[in-house]
PDB file of all heavy atoms in Angstrom:
ATOM      1  N   VAL A 167      -3.524  20.542  10.402  1.00 98.00           N
ATOM      2  CA  VAL A 167      -4.628  19.750  10.960  1.00 98.00           C
ATOM      3  C   VAL A 167      -4.160  18.280  10.803  1.00 98.00           C
ATOM      4  O   VAL A 167      -3.829  17.724   9.749  1.00 98.00           O
ATOM      5  CB  VAL A 167      -5.950  19.986  10.271  1.00 98.00           C
ATOM      6  CG1 VAL A 167      -7.018  19.024  10.702  1.00 98.00           C
ATOM      7  CG2 VAL A 167      -6.362  21.374  10.353  1.00 98.00           C
ATOM      8  N   LEU A 168      -4.231  17.545  11.984  1.00 98.00           N
ATOM      9  CA  LEU A 168      -3.697  16.145  12.021  1.00 98.00           C
ATOM     10  C   LEU A 168      -4.743  15.240  12.638  1.00 98.00           C
ATOM     11  O   LEU A 168      -5.251  15.448  13.745  1.00 98.00           O
ATOM     12  CB  LEU A 168      -2.474  16.097  12.868  1.00 98.00           C
ATOM     13  CG  LEU A 168      -1.884  14.760  13.179  1.00 98.00           C
ATOM     14  CD1 LEU A 168      -1.356  14.039  11.940  1.00 98.00           C
ATOM     15  CD2 LEU A 168      -0.729  14.895  14.227  1.00 98.00           C
ATOM     16  N   ALA A 169      -5.163  14.174  11.883  1.00 98.00           N
ATOM     17  CA  ALA A 169      -6.136  13.204  12.359  1.00 98.00           C
ATOM     18  C   ALA A 169      -5.344  11.948  12.700  1.00 98.00           C
ATOM     19  O   ALA A 169      -4.460  11.475  11.953  1.00 98.00           O
ATOM     20  CB  ALA A 169      -7.080  12.898  11.255  1.00 98.00           C
ATOM     21  N   LEU A 170      -5.741  11.313  13.842  1.00 98.00           N
ATOM     22  CA  LEU A 170      -5.160  10.079  14.236  1.00 98.00           C
ATOM     23  C   LEU A 170      -6.250   9.068  14.390  1.00 98.00           C
ATOM     24  O   LEU A 170      -7.352   9.364  14.913  1.00 98.00           O
ATOM     25  CB  LEU A 170      -4.390  10.201  15.586  1.00 98.00           C
ATOM     26  CG  LEU A 170      -3.288  11.218  15.655  1.00 98.00           C
ATOM     27  CD1 LEU A 170      -2.548  11.059  17.036  1.00 98.00           C
ATOM     28  CD2 LEU A 170      -2.247  11.039  14.501  1.00 98.00           C
ATOM     29  N   GLU A 171      -5.924   7.865  13.909  1.00 98.00           N
ATOM     30  CA  GLU A 171      -6.886   6.720  14.082  1.00 98.00           C
ATOM     31  C   GLU A 171      -6.235   5.593  14.849  1.00 98.00           C
ATOM     32  O   GLU A 171      -5.003   5.478  14.832  1.00 98.00           O
ATOM     33  CB  GLU A 171      -7.381   6.216  12.741  1.00 98.00           C
ATOM     34  CG  GLU A 171      -8.056   7.238  11.866  1.00 98.00           C
ATOM     35  CD  GLU A 171      -7.023   7.936  11.005  1.00 98.00           C
ATOM     36  OE1 GLU A 171      -6.232   7.286  10.379  1.00 98.00           O
ATOM     37  OE2 GLU A 171      -7.154   9.244  10.892  1.00 98.00           O
ATOM     38  N   GLU A 172      -7.052   4.833  15.497  1.00 98.00           N
ATOM     39  CA  GLU A 172      -6.619   3.583  16.295  1.00 98.00           C
ATOM     40  C   GLU A 172      -5.779   4.035  17.467  1.00 98.00           C
ATOM     41  O   GLU A 172      -4.684   3.432  17.725  1.00 98.00           O
ATOM     42  CB  GLU A 172      -5.869   2.611  15.374  1.00 98.00           C
ATOM     43  CG  GLU A 172      -5.966   1.172  15.906  1.00 98.00           C
ATOM     44  CD  GLU A 172      -5.459   0.163  14.850  1.00 98.00           C
ATOM     45  OE1 GLU A 172      -6.143  -0.057  13.844  1.00 98.00           O
ATOM     46  OE2 GLU A 172      -4.453  -0.502  15.185  1.00 98.00           O
ATOM     47  N   ILE A 173      -6.281   4.981  18.175  1.00 98.00           N
ATOM     48  CA  ILE A 173      -5.549   5.476  19.395  1.00 98.00           C
ATOM     49  C   ILE A 173      -5.937   4.530  20.515  1.00 98.00           C
ATOM     50  O   ILE A 173      -7.071   4.452  20.912  1.00 98.00           O
ATOM     51  CB  ILE A 173      -5.988   6.931  19.752  1.00 98.00           C
ATOM     52  CG1 ILE A 173      -5.683   7.859  18.582  1.00 98.00           C
ATOM     53  CG2 ILE A 173      -5.284   7.413  20.989  1.00 98.00           C
ATOM     54  CD1 ILE A 173      -6.252   9.262  18.792  1.00 98.00           C
ATOM     55  N   SER A 174      -4.995   3.818  21.042  1.00 97.00           N
ATOM     56  CA  SER A 174      -5.272   2.933  22.166  1.00 97.00           C
ATOM     57  C   SER A 174      -5.322   3.699  23.474  1.00 97.00           C
ATOM     58  O   SER A 174      -4.702   4.798  23.635  1.00 97.00           O
ATOM     59  CB  SER A 174      -4.201   1.886  22.266  1.00 97.00           C
ATOM     60  OG  SER A 174      -2.891   2.472  22.678  1.00 97.00           O
ATOM     61  N   PRO A 175      -6.140   3.283  24.457  1.00 95.00           N
ATOM     62  CA  PRO A 175      -6.289   3.988  25.678  1.00 95.00           C
ATOM     63  C   PRO A 175      -4.961   4.213  26.399  1.00 95.00           C
ATOM     64  O   PRO A 175      -4.692   5.295  26.986  1.00 95.00           O
ATOM     65  CB  PRO A 175      -7.175   3.054  26.512  1.00 95.00           C
ATOM     66  CG  PRO A 175      -7.993   2.294  25.539  1.00 95.00           C
ATOM     67  CD  PRO A 175      -7.069   2.086  24.423  1.00 95.00           C
ATOM     68  N   GLY A 176      -4.057   3.283  26.338  1.00 96.00           N
ATOM     69  CA  GLY A 176      -2.814   3.452  27.011  1.00 96.00           C
ATOM     70  C   GLY A 176      -1.885   4.422  26.300  1.00 96.00           C
ATOM     71  O   GLY A 176      -0.938   4.962  26.943  1.00 96.00           O
ATOM     72  N   ALA A 177      -2.055   4.694  25.000  1.00 98.00           N
ATOM     73  CA  ALA A 177      -1.191   5.625  24.301  1.00 98.00           C
ATOM     74  C   ALA A 177      -1.783   7.020  24.152  1.00 98.00           C
ATOM     75  O   ALA A 177      -1.016   7.937  23.754  1.00 98.00           O
ATOM     76  CB  ALA A 177      -0.850   5.061  22.901  1.00 98.00           C
ATOM     77  N   ARG A 178      -2.981   7.193  24.554  1.00 98.00           N
ATOM     78  CA  ARG A 178      -3.609   8.514  24.361  1.00 98.00           C
ATOM     79  C   ARG A 178      -2.872   9.624  25.057  1.00 98.00           C
ATOM     80  O   ARG A 178      -2.626  10.712  24.483  1.00 98.00           O
ATOM     81  CB  ARG A 178      -5.037   8.492  24.864  1.00 98.00           C
ATOM     82  CG  ARG A 178      -5.763   9.863  24.833  1.00 98.00           C
ATOM     83  CD  ARG A 178      -7.249   9.668  25.107  1.00 98.00           C
ATOM     84  NE  ARG A 178      -7.909  11.034  25.211  1.00 98.00           N
ATOM     85  CZ  ARG A 178      -9.152  11.251  25.357  1.00 98.00           C
ATOM     86  NH1 ARG A 178      -9.992  10.217  25.436  1.00 98.00           N
ATOM     87  NH2 ARG A 178      -9.660  12.414  25.484  1.00 98.00           N
ATOM     88  N   ASP A 179      -2.401   9.436  26.341  1.00 98.00           N
ATOM     89  CA  ASP A 179      -1.671  10.443  27.055  1.00 98.00           C
ATOM     90  C   ASP A 179      -0.397  10.832  26.354  1.00 98.00           C
ATOM     91  O   ASP A 179      -0.043  12.033  26.346  1.00 98.00           O
ATOM     92  CB  ASP A 179      -1.349   9.951  28.463  1.00 98.00           C
ATOM     93  CG  ASP A 179      -2.636   9.867  29.353  1.00 98.00           C
ATOM     94  OD1 ASP A 179      -3.691  10.471  28.955  1.00 98.00           O
ATOM     95  OD2 ASP A 179      -2.530   9.194  30.354  1.00 98.00           O
ATOM     96  N   ALA A 180       0.279   9.840  25.777  1.00 98.00           N
ATOM     97  CA  ALA A 180       1.521  10.149  24.986  1.00 98.00           C
ATOM     98  C   ALA A 180       1.344  11.046  23.815  1.00 98.00           C
ATOM     99  O   ALA A 180       2.056  12.026  23.578  1.00 98.00           O
ATOM    100  CB  ALA A 180       2.216   8.852  24.603  1.00 98.00           C
ATOM    101  N   TYR A 181       0.228  10.775  23.125  1.00 98.00           N
ATOM    102  CA  TYR A 181      -0.060  11.558  21.901  1.00 98.00           C
ATOM    103  C   TYR A 181      -0.451  12.994  22.379  1.00 98.00           C
ATOM    104  O   TYR A 181       0.002  14.003  21.759  1.00 98.00           O
ATOM    105  CB  TYR A 181      -1.172  10.920  21.105  1.00 98.00           C
ATOM    106  CG  TYR A 181      -0.827   9.710  20.424  1.00 98.00           C
ATOM    107  CD1 TYR A 181      -1.367   8.469  20.711  1.00 98.00           C
ATOM    108  CD2 TYR A 181       0.226   9.738  19.444  1.00 98.00           C
ATOM    109  CE1 TYR A 181      -0.962   7.312  20.039  1.00 98.00           C
ATOM    110  CE2 TYR A 181       0.632   8.521  18.776  1.00 98.00           C
ATOM    111  CZ  TYR A 181       0.034   7.331  19.124  1.00 98.00           C
ATOM    112  OH  TYR A 181       0.443   6.243  18.465  1.00 98.00           O
ATOM    113  N   GLU A 182      -1.284  13.128  23.380  1.00 98.00           N
ATOM    114  CA  GLU A 182      -1.677  14.415  23.870  1.00 98.00           C
ATOM    115  C   GLU A 182      -0.531  15.259  24.353  1.00 98.00           C
ATOM    116  O   GLU A 182      -0.458  16.449  24.106  1.00 98.00           O
ATOM    117  CB  GLU A 182      -2.821  14.273  24.934  1.00 98.00           C
ATOM    118  CG  GLU A 182      -4.098  13.751  24.350  1.00 98.00           C
ATOM    119  CD  GLU A 182      -5.200  13.620  25.420  1.00 98.00           C
ATOM    120  OE1 GLU A 182      -4.866  13.291  26.564  1.00 98.00           O
ATOM    121  OE2 GLU A 182      -6.380  13.740  25.050  1.00 98.00           O
ATOM    122  N   LYS A 183       0.380  14.648  25.063  1.00 98.00           N
ATOM    123  CA  LYS A 183       1.502  15.321  25.663  1.00 98.00           C
ATOM    124  C   LYS A 183       2.474  15.810  24.583  1.00 98.00           C
ATOM    125  O   LYS A 183       2.878  16.981  24.597  1.00 98.00           O
ATOM    126  CB  LYS A 183       2.294  14.410  26.649  1.00 98.00           C
ATOM    127  CG  LYS A 183       3.470  15.089  27.245  1.00 98.00           C
ATOM    128  CD  LYS A 183       4.181  14.119  28.188  1.00 98.00           C
ATOM    129  CE  LYS A 183       5.378  14.668  28.742  1.00 98.00           C
ATOM    130  NZ  LYS A 183       6.157  13.772  29.714  1.00 98.00           N
ATOM    131  N   GLU A 184       2.800  14.938  23.621  1.00 98.00           N
ATOM    132  CA  GLU A 184       3.783  15.283  22.644  1.00 98.00           C
ATOM    133  C   GLU A 184       3.233  16.244  21.578  1.00 98.00           C
ATOM    134  O   GLU A 184       3.992  17.026  20.999  1.00 98.00           O
ATOM    135  CB  GLU A 184       4.247  14.006  21.944  1.00 98.00           C
ATOM    136  CG  GLU A 184       5.035  13.083  22.844  1.00 98.00           C
ATOM    137  CD  GLU A 184       6.331  13.667  23.330  1.00 98.00           C
ATOM    138  OE1 GLU A 184       6.877  14.592  22.663  1.00 98.00           O
ATOM    139  OE2 GLU A 184       6.776  13.181  24.395  1.00 98.00           O
ATOM    140  N   LEU A 185       1.963  16.256  21.352  1.00 98.00           N
ATOM    141  CA  LEU A 185       1.368  17.109  20.329  1.00 98.00           C
ATOM    142  C   LEU A 185       0.845  18.407  20.836  1.00 98.00           C
ATOM    143  O   LEU A 185       0.557  19.330  20.036  1.00 98.00           O
ATOM    144  CB  LEU A 185       0.221  16.347  19.571  1.00 98.00           C
ATOM    145  CG  LEU A 185       0.596  15.108  18.797  1.00 98.00           C
ATOM    146  CD1 LEU A 185      -0.703  14.398  18.271  1.00 98.00           C
ATOM    147  CD2 LEU A 185       1.487  15.420  17.630  1.00 98.00           C
ATOM    148  N   ALA A 186       0.828  18.600  22.179  1.00 98.00           N
ATOM    149  CA  ALA A 186       0.251  19.805  22.751  1.00 98.00           C
ATOM    150  C   ALA A 186       0.957  21.037  22.352  1.00 98.00           C
ATOM    151  O   ALA A 186       0.340  22.154  22.111  1.00 98.00           O
ATOM    152  CB  ALA A 186       0.235  19.676  24.271  1.00 98.00           C
ATOM    153  N   LYS A 187       2.287  21.019  22.224  1.00 97.00           N
ATOM    154  CA  LYS A 187       3.056  22.281  21.915  1.00 97.00           C
ATOM    155  C   LYS A 187       2.723  22.719  20.458  1.00 97.00           C
ATOM    156  O   LYS A 187       2.677  23.937  20.209  1.00 97.00           O
ATOM    157  CB  LYS A 187       4.557  22.007  22.044  1.00 97.00           C
ATOM    158  CG  LYS A 187       5.001  21.717  23.517  1.00 97.00           C
ATOM    159  CD  LYS A 187       6.517  21.554  23.599  1.00 97.00           C
ATOM    160  CE  LYS A 187       6.924  21.249  25.008  1.00 97.00           C
ATOM    161  NZ  LYS A 187       8.386  20.995  25.144  1.00 97.00           N
ATOM    162  N   THR A 188       2.571  21.826  19.580  1.00 98.00           N
ATOM    163  CA  THR A 188       2.392  22.194  18.174  1.00 98.00           C
ATOM    164  C   THR A 188       0.909  22.472  17.848  1.00 98.00           C
ATOM    165  O   THR A 188       0.555  23.279  17.087  1.00 98.00           O
ATOM    166  CB  THR A 188       2.829  21.052  17.236  1.00 98.00           C
ATOM    167  OG1 THR A 188       4.205  20.712  17.601  1.00 98.00           O
ATOM    168  CG2 THR A 188       2.772  21.430  15.760  1.00 98.00           C
ATOM    169  N   TYR A 189       0.010  21.695  18.561  1.00 98.00           N
ATOM    170  CA  TYR A 189      -1.428  21.781  18.306  1.00 98.00           C
ATOM    171  C   TYR A 189      -2.103  22.179  19.555  1.00 98.00           C
ATOM    172  O   TYR A 189      -2.444  21.329  20.471  1.00 98.00           O
ATOM    173  CB  TYR A 189      -1.932  20.471  17.756  1.00 98.00           C
ATOM    174  CG  TYR A 189      -1.226  19.993  16.523  1.00 98.00           C
ATOM    175  CD1 TYR A 189      -0.201  19.084  16.513  1.00 98.00           C
ATOM    176  CD2 TYR A 189      -1.532  20.605  15.285  1.00 98.00           C
ATOM    177  CE1 TYR A 189       0.458  18.678  15.375  1.00 98.00           C
ATOM    178  CE2 TYR A 189      -0.914  20.186  14.133  1.00 98.00           C
ATOM    179  CZ  TYR A 189       0.130  19.231  14.209  1.00 98.00           C
ATOM    180  OH  TYR A 189       0.748  18.890  13.057  1.00 98.00           O
TER     181      TYR A 189
END
Side-chain angles (χ1 to χ4, degrees):
V167 176
L168 171 65
L170 301 186
E171 304 89 45
E172 207 168 292
I173 303 171
S174 66
R178 176 173 172 173
D179 290 343
Y181 290 117
E182 290 180 329
K183 178 181 178 180
E184 295 296 336
L185 295 173
K187 294 181 181 179
T188 306
Y189 302 98

